[in-house]
Amino acid sequence: MIYFNNVSKIYDKDGVALEDVNLTINAGEFVSIVGHSGAGKTTLVKMILADERPTAGTVFYESINVNKIKNQDLTKLRRRIGVVFQDFKLLPNKTAYENIAFAMEAAGKTDEEISTDVPHVLELVDLGDKISHFPYQLSGGEKQRLAIARAIINQPELIIADEPTGNLDPINTYEVVQILKKINDLGTTIILTTHNQGVIESVGKRVITLERGKVVRDDKDGKYVI
């Protein structure tokens, strides 16, 4: 599904974000990308979204060379990917329902589809009773679950969760991880970046470890060794 072929990203002579990265992520996998701050985790996922372009090497999303994708095709690619951020990025003046409906409207969905699908996805993330709440009325964990609902509403093939538990307490962290696992069980590929060892252990899936921009480990069974 996703292929990194000898990918490097160099900002200047002292700013090597990624160095000669080779990896493959298959459809349906749950892959955690771990490493200390500055290891290259966020740069790597930005490559998939074409938010960053490699200095050298190639990134493929299926048969698409992400390096060379044209601007008019970039929106199509990104609609196949849902993104969950550490700081939620919710619309503060819209309710939970409206935050998700807005994402559906942007994708051209009908009012009927919106009225049917939004309550369903809120139930999936255990927020069915918060449908009319604004973000300021939600806890940190509820905000992140709402962000996940927004990311999956248009049924993307891939979810990128970039440090989604970084601002959460252990209980809310556990709940968010369980929801991501549930989404993966339904067939969606998950890429999770984190530095939280507890998260890795609770997922129990493949772990790719970055150190100073290099892949130093690729474990199939959820090991976090730094």
Side-chain angles (χ1 to χ4, degrees):
M1 183 179 191
I2 298 167
Y3 312 94
F4 279 68
N5 183 25
N6 299 319
V7 172
S8 295
K9 179 66 177 181
I10 302 171
Y11 293 104
D12 55 52
K13 65 179 182 179
D14 297 317
V16 179
L18 294 175
E19 184 176 348
D20 199 27
V21 171
N22 290 281
L23 63 87
T24 297
I25 297 173
N26 296 314
E29 278 199 280
F30 193 130
V31 179
S32 298
I33 299 173
V34 305
H36 295 302
S37 178
K41 303 186 300 295
T42 296
T43 300
L44 189 146
V45 298
K46 283 184 174 181
M47 294 282 183
I48 301 170
L49 294 163
D51 282 338
E52 295 281 2
R53 304 293 174 113
T55 305
T58 309
V59 180
F60 283 94
Y61 188 101
E62 294 181 344
S63 61
I64 300 169
N65 184 338
V66 178
N67 311 41
K68 297 182 178 179
I69 193 167
K70 297 178 181 178
N71 288 335
Q72 60 265 34
D73 295 323
L74 187 54
T75 299
K76 294 179 183 178
L77 172 66
R78 289 177 175 168
R79 283 179 179 167
R80 301 170 67 181
I81 303 170
V83 184
V84 180
F85 302 95
Q86 180 175 346
D87 56 354
F88 318 129
K89 298 194 183 300
L90 300 171
L91 300 170
N93 297 320
K94 293 185 181 294
T95 64
Y97 181 98
E98 291 166 341
N99 263 275
I100 300 173
F102 185 81
M104 295 188 72
E105 290 165 0
K109 298 300 177 68
T110 66
D111 289 344
E112 182 179 359
E113 288 174 312
I114 291 170
S115 63
T116 299
D117 292 352
V118 172
H120 174 72
V121 78
L122 284 170
E123 289 290 344
L124 181 66
V125 298
D126 299 322
L127 289 176
D129 60 340
K130 307 290 185 180
I131 192 168
S132 299
H133 284 56
F134 290 90
Y136 74 87
Q137 296 173 303
L138 303 175
S139 69
E142 289 169 340
K143 289 177 184 177
Q144 194 58 286
R145 300 205 311 268
L146 177 57
I148 292 172
R150 181 186 57 189
I152 66 175
I153 190 62
N154 292 316
Q155 299 181 323
E157 303 160 341
L158 167 67
I159 294 290
I160 294 175
D162 191 11
E163 297 278 7
T165 64
N167 293 327
L168 303 182
D169 61 38
I171 293 174
N172 282 305
T173 291
Y174 174 81
E175 291 177 350
V176 165
V177 170
Q178 294 309 304
I179 289 170
L180 291 173
K181 289 172 68 176
K182 185 192 303 184
I183 294 165
N184 178 244
D185 288 342
L186 294 172
T188 304
T189 307
I190 305 287
I191 297 176
L192 168 70
T193 71
T194 186
H195 58 270
N196 187 320
Q197 184 172 357
V199 167
I200 299 305
E201 291 173 352
S202 65
V203 172
K205 302 282 188 177
R206 180 183 175 195
V207 180
I208 295 170
T209 304
L210 292 177
E211 185 176 318
R212 297 181 181 180
K214 295 182 179 180
V215 175
V216 295
R217 295 181 65 92
D218 189 345
D219 296 294
K220 303 297 183 183
D221 54 355
K223 293 181 180 177
Y224 183 8
V225 181
I226 294 182

